[in-house]
Amino acid sequence: MEKANKVELKIQGKYALFTDPLTKIGGEKCSYHIPTYEALKGVLSSVYWTPTIVWIIDCVRVMKRIRTQTRSAKPVDYSGGNSLAIYTYLAHVEYQVQAHFEWNMNRKDMAGDRNENKHYFVAKRMIEKGGRRDIFLGARECQGYVEPCRFGEGIGDYDNYGEIAFDLMFHGFDYPDEFGKDELHARFWRPKMIDGQIDFIRPEKCTIRKLVRPMNANPPQSVGLQEEGLFDELDTKTV
Amino acid sequence: MSWIQKLYETYENCQSMIGKVGEENEVPLLPICHTIQNAQINIVINLSGEFVRAAVVPRSEAKTIIPATEESAGRSGKKPACYPLCDKLQYIAGDFLEFGGEVTVGFTDDPHEPHNAYVKQLSDWCDSSYKHPKVLAILDYVKKGTVVADLVKEGILHLRPSTRLLMNQWSENDNILEIFKLLPGGVDNKGKKKPWQADAFVRWSVEVPGDPQSSIWTDPTIWESWVNYYGSVKSVKGLCYVTGEQRFMASQHPKKIRYSDDGAKIISSNDWSGFTFRGRFTDTKKHNTYQTCGVGFEVTQKSHSALRWLISRQGYRSGDQAIVAWATSGMSIPNPLDDPLSILGEKNLKNDDCGSIFTAQNLAIKLKKKIAGYKSDLGDASGVVVMGLDSATPGRIAITFYRELTGSEFLSRLEKWHDTCAWIHDYGYNPETKGHIRFVGAPAPKDIAEAAYGSKVDNKLKKTTVERLLPCIIDGQQIPRDIVDSAIRRASNRAGMEEWEWNKTLSIACAIFRKLNEKEGYDMALDENRKTRDYLYGRLLALADSLEQWALNEAKEDRQTNAARLMQRFADHPYSTWKIIELSLAPYKARLKAKSQKRQVLIDKVHAMFEHPDDYISDKKLSGEFLLGYHCQRESLRPKEVETTNESEPEMVTKIDE
């Protein structure tokens, strides 16, 4: 990597549900008060992703006051029928996120695609367009919207608020395709929000992690850009 | 910012409260691995395991803290697991079957199973290094298998005449035997009469010469012995999602959180078929490796115990909804869902110097002082948590609200709520003098819900309304406009309610309208300079109402005034309705003669205050502000009796306007 490759974007939505795992298993989902690393990584990956890169979230700025709202839900029970639940969402969220990408060194087949300028500008363009895929904030029913912004600009509700400490919180998953081991791990950390800003620690810096289960990376078979016939096809098309 | 972590801290901070029973319906803070049950029989034995005596436990003393395993604490179904020490006769009595006792349905194939399981579990405890001499004595006694026989001999249990079977009914004419009074009875699902006596729950006392602590349910050494033993049996270790450490995992989480037969759990993890959380997780019921999440056994026990205690002690509960605010340090704090009267508490009201003449300001000052008192007790460093719980189904509890604040932040938000949402209310009730208390302050959220949607408000709507009002108090959020509008609409419809209910609705509507329009800075006293159309129209209505009411009183007529009857119409079409009301005042003016002078002058004065004729002539609907004008004008017409209290400011009186 020669440059920082930083991107900045504003994420907003009417609802968000960054489910606390303790409330997930029973089905009465209740959101954490702040987004998890994994959720933001998901947003960035929806905006632009390719196997060559890994998104790293640097920090998030909480722009609006943390509010919750409950909604009654009628989730489908796969053993038949429905059950009833109450979900607790965050309401009217707005975040500023700073992130950058790094090469995914586990995808050696994509080595020829490691072109910083290309990916950086595609990512930038995609943020301007609002992302390649649907953006959602923690759960599928919470549609989100992205747009470019200058990180730190504008007035946030938690400016000069001081520090809010959170107890042990889910950080993210180590999936085998990026982590490089045939195991799925869950990572934890203790975030601190200072004047509305949370600086994420890098995934490998999380000391508390748990082996969830063995899992194999199963990337599609490919030899990257050297795939046979790829260029031929392009050539014939342009002709 | 984790509810379970905060509850855990609270438990640790309140260690000194463990096992102390406060008021009657309060659940004590339980030691971990313990639960609470009502016992009916107390058996006294000595240290060598010999029967001494037994007695029926009166209902008022029945609450018993008993050791419990995770399975027994959440027991239900056809084969309920036994408690380790105190339990029903079917588990502890070896001779239960001889006396015709019937075991729970699931055990019918092997009726000895409950007792054997009980003895096995108790023996395991006694074989461990955590054994306790008194528990050993109980085991010795139980092994003899003479529990029912001894109880019959002692006259606690009763046999059917000339049989060796337990009596299961009594004829109406007989004196009801003591044990039958305590036990619920009934017919089982096969239509058979249940042997009620056999359902009795037994607790133990072990008498040791020189040891005053004979009742084992209040003996901290036995609690400790069980906690240590049970902790040593656990084998599965894993990452605790609360502490982040490797701990012994809880396989089940406690229930009975909100009330004694509450079967719902906050953390429930028995879903292996609904695919609620699976996907990347592959756990099965057989091979539960806690992939999704795991909580330390000790952590979950302590935090649930703390929550149960807090809800019963200081929570607000309405059906399945429970809302509780507490300081993690264990200090007492006011309940955010109370009105000033409840925050001040009954004791304060009883001791108040002026029995019937409760003065509104007086109470407002008291509330301020009380909150200031909390402030100095609590300090800034102490954290306050507000948590709301609710269920959609009987099995699970959802966390519907969770906030952490510092103590001073919490109290200043509460103070601000009582300041900005304050109005003069008449509906306070003093159980001592059976009189109404006038007070100034914010109405309680449940009263606001009733004001907005009627006293017969649907339970669900009431719950949601209370929940929606909670952020207004705790976060200082804007009060929802629809609730205010609804209350105003109801307050305008005077004809639809009884007098007291309407008065209550009116003052609450004024309070929340004032809160919604905080920026306007409405005064609680009559503002003689306010020239807004709606306010003036409100004043006019009050003046007309008062004039007519006076005339009716003079003539001893008992009927509603025109102003009262037409209030709804007045709110929608003030100008055209005012014409009707004013014209109909003529006979009353005549009746009152010169006495009505003051009000007539006032009416003219208010008329003159309309700045634009268009304002007056317009038939546009009135906003909630007209209620404020009405209420303030009515208030200022009240006869002011000068009271002889120490305070120098003028006092207001609770008499209804004449």
Side-chain angles (χ1 to χ4, degrees):
Chain A
M1 293 260 127
E2 284 170 8
K3 293 200 183 96
N5 291 325
K6 272 198 193 313
V7 295
E8 294 170 336
L9 63 160
K10 181 169 116 182
I11 307 175
Q12 55 182 332
K14 202 170 171 193
Y15 295 106
L17 179 61
F18 309 110
T19 315
D20 181 345
L22 290 181
T23 61
K24 187 168 193 145
I25 48 177
E28 309 280 328
K29 294 195 230 173
C30 179
S31 180
Y32 278 134
H33 282 178
I34 50 171
T36 60
Y37 179 92
E38 193 72 19
L40 294 176
K41 191 178 164 192
V43 170
L44 261 302
S45 304
S46 285
V47 168
Y48 173 61
W49 182 81
T50 178
T52 321
I53 63 168
V54 176
W55 280 108
I56 304 283
I57 314 296
D58 301 319
C59 46
V60 61
R61 191 165 162 236
V62 180
M63 299 299 285
K64 289 198 177 157
R65 198 155 279 272
I66 295 167
R67 285 172 55 187
T68 56
Q69 187 178 332
T70 57
R71 292 165 79 191
S72 296
K74 196 178 170 191
V76 173
D77 190 333
Y78 278 85
S79 57
N82 291 97
S83 70
L84 293 172
I86 303 172
Y87 289 176
T88 307
Y89 294 88
L90 294 176
H92 301 285
V93 294
E94 187 184 320
Y95 305 110
Q96 288 182 353
V97 177
Q98 198 179 70
H100 69 276
F101 64 79
E102 291 171 8
W103 304 135
N104 183 354
M105 291 308 187
N106 294 306
R107 290 300 293 268
K108 301 216 166 48
D109 53 339
M110 305 308 284
D113 190 35
R114 290 180 189 152
N115 177 342
E116 275 189 62
N117 268 351
K118 175 181 115 183
H119 292 299
Y120 179 66
F121 285 105
V122 176
K124 277 266 213 203
R125 235 173 13 248
M126 285 313 119
I127 293 170
E128 269 161 36
K129 301 275 179 199
R132 281 193 167 177
R133 294 162 196 279
D134 287 2
I135 310 297
F136 44 92
L137 305 173
R140 193 64 184 83
E141 68 265 32
C142 303
Q143 188 79 39
Y145 304 92
V146 297
E147 54 189 277
C149 79
R150 291 271 296 280
F151 191 88
E153 216 168 60
I155 297 159
D157 278 346
Y158 287 93
D159 296 350
N160 307 319
Y161 190 86
E163 183 182 305
I164 299 176
F166 294 83
D167 292 314
L168 195 72
M169 229 180 104
F170 177 70
H171 184 277
F173 285 114
D174 289 323
Y175 283 106
D177 64 332
E178 288 174 6
F179 187 54
K181 259 190 189 172
D182 281 346
E183 282 170 352
L184 172 67
H185 286 264
R187 305 185 302 266
F188 297 85
W189 71 311
R190 296 177 201 275
K192 268 191 194 124
M193 181 162 98
I194 297 163
D195 292 340
Q197 185 173 332
I198 300 152
D199 293 320
F200 285 107
I201 53 174
R202 289 181 62 92
E204 60 271 17
K205 292 264 173 62
C206 288
T207 48
I208 305 170
R209 60 182 69 224
K210 180 174 108 161
L211 169 70
V212 175
R213 66 181 176 99
M215 188 191 248
N216 293 323
N218 192 13
Q221 293 300 309
S222 135
V223 283
L225 297 174
Q226 271 63 55
E227 192 173 329
E228 204 180 327
L230 193 64
F231 284 111
D232 302 348
E233 199 179 306
L234 277 174
D235 289 344
T236 49
K237 268 198 184 149
T238 45
V239 166
Chain B
M1 274 275 183
S2 152
W3 57 275
I4 192 162
Q5 171 79 37
K6 283 288 174 270
L7 284 167
Y8 181 61
E9 278 169 28
T10 310
Y11 187 93
E12 297 290 356
N13 290 336
C14 296
Q15 295 272 2
S16 60
M17 299 297 288
I18 292 174
K20 285 195 182 134
V21 183
E23 280 168 41
E24 202 182 323
N25 290 323
E26 224 176 89
V27 181
L29 186 60
L30 293 173
I32 63 167
C33 320
H34 282 72
T35 187
I36 196 159
Q37 274 284 343
N38 286 337
Q40 285 88 33
I41 298 175
N42 184 31
I43 300 180
V44 184
I45 59 170
N46 62 23
L47 205 53
S48 39
E50 282 153 6
F51 182 84
V52 178
R53 61 181 179 277
V56 173
V57 182
R59 194 162 278 157
S60 57
E61 292 164 27
K63 271 205 181 128
T64 310
I65 297 172
I66 57 164
T69 58
E70 281 175 281
E71 296 77 36
S72 59
R75 77 181 184 183
S76 65
K78 288 180 174 171
K79 282 185 158 193
C82 59
Y83 293 117
L85 194 55
C86 302
D87 211 328
K88 291 185 175 183
L89 284 172
Q90 69 161 332
Y91 298 98
I92 64 162
D95 53 355
F96 183 69
L97 299 166
E98 285 171 40
F99 285 90
E102 279 175 43
V103 291
T104 313
V105 187
F107 296 123
T108 34
D109 291 343
D110 178 14
H112 293 286
E113 193 183 332
H115 179 63
N116 292 344
Y118 171 81
V119 173
K120 166 106 194 357
Q121 193 166 303
L122 197 55
S123 313
D124 287 348
W125 178 8
C126 291
D127 288 343
S128 76
S129 53
Y130 302 103
K131 60 177 176 268
H132 192 283
K134 288 182 181 174
V135 179
L136 267 169
I138 294 168
L139 178 64
D140 284 345
Y141 172 64
V142 168
K143 272 185 178 165
K144 289 177 189 164
T146 57
V147 176
V148 178
D150 287 338
L151 288 173
V152 169
K153 231 183 282 165
E154 199 73 5
I156 306 287
L157 299 179
H158 304 274
L159 300 181
R160 267 180 258 169
S162 69
T163 55
R164 271 181 61 73
L165 294 176
L166 283 172
M167 191 157 79
N168 57 7
Q169 56 188 338
W170 69 91
S171 60
E172 288 295 321
N173 307 334
D174 292 350
N175 287 332
I176 299 171
L177 298 164
E178 214 180 341
I179 189 84
F180 284 105
K181 285 189 213 158
L182 296 169
L183 288 166
V187 178
D188 69 11
N189 50 11
K190 284 179 195 139
K192 266 204 257 176
K193 277 251 159 58
K194 262 189 3 200
W196 299 327
Q197 300 183 83
D199 263 348
F201 196 95
V202 178
R203 71 184 187 194
W204 309 95
S205 294
V206 183
E207 286 189 339
V208 183
D211 183 0
Q213 177 65 276
S214 68
S215 37
I216 58 122
W217 63 94
T218 52
D219 188 342
T221 62
I222 296 182
W223 296 344
E224 213 175 290
S225 156
W226 170 251
V227 171
N228 290 335
Y229 164 69
Y230 195 60
S232 73
V233 187
K234 299 239 117 218
S235 58
V236 187
K237 258 196 171 186
L239 180 81
C240 168
Y241 274 38
V242 178
T243 56
E245 295 159 10
Q246 291 291 319
R247 296 271 185 115
F248 288 112
M249 290 284 109
S251 61
Q252 280 193 30
H253 299 270
K255 53 182 192 176
K256 298 188 189 172
I257 307 284
R258 293 166 299 186
Y259 41 92
S260 63
D261 16 307
D262 183 11
K265 293 177 180 180
I266 301 181
I267 308 177
S268 56
S269 53
N270 55 356
D271 179 18
W272 310 106
S273 56
F275 293 85
T276 307
F277 58 85
R278 287 201 273 178
R280 57 175 83 84
F281 306 114
T282 53
D283 267 355
T284 57
K285 195 166 190 171
K286 265 192 181 163
H287 301 284
N288 184 1
T289 51
Y290 303 96
Q291 283 181 5
T292 334
C293 84
V295 180
F297 169 73
E298 189 199 337
V299 174
T300 185
Q301 288 276 330
K302 286 187 174 172
S303 41
H304 281 90
S305 186
L307 182 58
R308 188 184 293 141
W309 174 64
L310 287 165
I311 288 175
S312 88
R313 204 167 76 130
Q314 60 203 59
Y316 160 88
R317 208 164 67 68
S318 150
D320 276 340
Q321 186 183 42
I323 295 166
V324 61
W326 78 92
T328 44
S329 61
M331 296 278 216
S332 68
I333 55 166
N335 184 343
L337 296 178
D338 275 346
D339 57 28
L341 286 181
S342 323
I343 291 182
L344 287 170
E346 246 173 65
K347 267 186 204 146
N348 258 302
L349 297 178
K350 275 182 199 161
N351 297 342
D352 207 282
D353 37 353
C354 39
S356 68
I357 322 151
F358 256 105
T359 53
Q361 271 96 346
N362 209 350
L363 271 173
I365 292 165
K366 273 195 177 165
L367 180 71
K368 269 215 156 67
K369 281 185 186 154
K370 180 114 182 172
I371 289 181
Y374 280 122
K375 261 187 192 159
S376 62
D377 283 354
L378 209 55
D380 196 30
S382 182
V384 169
V385 179
V386 186
M387 190 168 169
L389 303 171
D390 200 356
S391 312
T393 55
R396 297 188 302 256
I397 302 177
I399 300 162
T400 54
F401 189 85
Y402 183 78
R403 290 287 188 285
E404 275 174 34
L405 308 100
T406 62
S408 59
E409 209 178 356
F410 172 77
L411 291 171
S412 57
R413 297 254 169 88
L414 200 61
E415 199 170 358
K416 186 162 181 238
W417 165 254
H418 281 286
D419 250 10
T420 54
C421 191
W423 199 254
I424 305 159
H425 304 285
D426 275 321
Y427 61 85
Y429 180 72
N430 187 351
E432 195 79 336
T433 57
K434 300 221 159 54
H436 282 273
I437 305 171
R438 212 174 153 71
F439 69 96
V440 170
K446 65 172 194 312
D447 286 330
I448 297 181
E450 278 179 14
Y453 304 110
S455 55
K456 289 192 190 83
V457 54
D458 169 62
N459 205 14
K460 183 142 194 217
L461 183 58
K462 190 172 169 181
K463 279 196 322 194
T464 0
T465 312
V466 170
E467 200 185 296
R468 285 176 70 197
L469 288 169
L470 201 53
C472 307
I473 305 170
I474 306 299
D475 304 340
Q477 242 176 53
Q478 182 64 278
I479 192 164
R481 182 175 288 273
D482 61 304
I483 296 177
V484 180
D485 285 349
S486 182
I488 288 168
R489 214 172 305 116
R490 281 194 77 247
S492 311
N493 179 16
R494 184 170 172 178
M497 275 176 276
E498 280 188 48
E499 192 67 16
W500 67 267
E501 193 189 351
W502 174 72
N503 270 314
K504 185 175 174 179
T505 310
L506 176 66
S507 65
I508 292 175
C510 288
I512 56 181
F513 181 82
R514 179 164 177 248
K515 173 76 184 157
L516 182 69
N517 299 284
E518 224 176 305
K519 283 193 200 115
E520 286 274 330
Y522 289 112
D523 213 333
M524 268 185 281
L526 181 66
D527 183 352
E528 307 224 0
N529 298 319
R530 187 172 284 277
K531 289 181 174 168
T532 50
R533 167 179 176 264
D534 298 1
Y535 197 78
L536 294 178
Y537 259 124
R539 287 183 66 184
L540 283 178
L541 186 70
L543 286 165
D545 188 28
S546 144
L547 196 153
E548 191 177 341
Q549 188 67 51
W550 192 0
L552 291 178
N553 286 352
E554 290 281 291
K556 300 264 184 310
E557 274 184 83
D558 184 25
R559 62 174 168 86
Q560 275 201 316
T561 63
N562 284 310
R565 279 190 298 116
L566 293 174
M567 189 166 177
Q568 173 82 65
R569 188 167 188 271
F570 184 79
D572 291 338
H573 313 282
Y575 176 65
S576 58
T577 317
W578 175 245
K579 211 163 82 184
I580 304 172
I581 294 175
E582 193 175 23
L583 288 176
S584 66
L585 280 178
Y588 307 113
K589 284 182 192 164
R591 192 186 290 168
L592 289 170
K593 297 193 190 94
K595 279 190 283 184
S596 70
Q597 204 59 41
K598 186 185 150 202
R599 279 163 175 76
Q600 285 192 45
V601 169
L602 265 173
I603 290 178
D604 293 341
K605 211 170 131 193
V606 173
H607 266 130
M609 280 171 76
F610 281 95
E611 275 181 327
H612 298 287
D614 292 349
D615 273 357
Y616 179 61
I617 292 166
S618 157
D619 224 3
K620 215 180 81 198
K621 202 170 176 269
L622 293 176
S623 79
E625 195 183 347
F626 103 94
L627 293 177
L628 300 193
Y630 178 86
H631 200 280
C632 289
Q633 181 65 62
R634 194 178 74 169
E635 207 59 45
S636 82
L637 288 174
R638 250 170 229 265
K640 283 194 186 64
E641 291 171 26
V642 183
E643 290 305 324
T644 50
T645 39
N646 322 353
E647 265 137 291
S648 53
E649 66 237 285
E651 310 277 3
M652 288 194 210
V653 188
T654 51
K655 264 191 195 163
I656 298 298
D657 197 12
E658 290 178 340

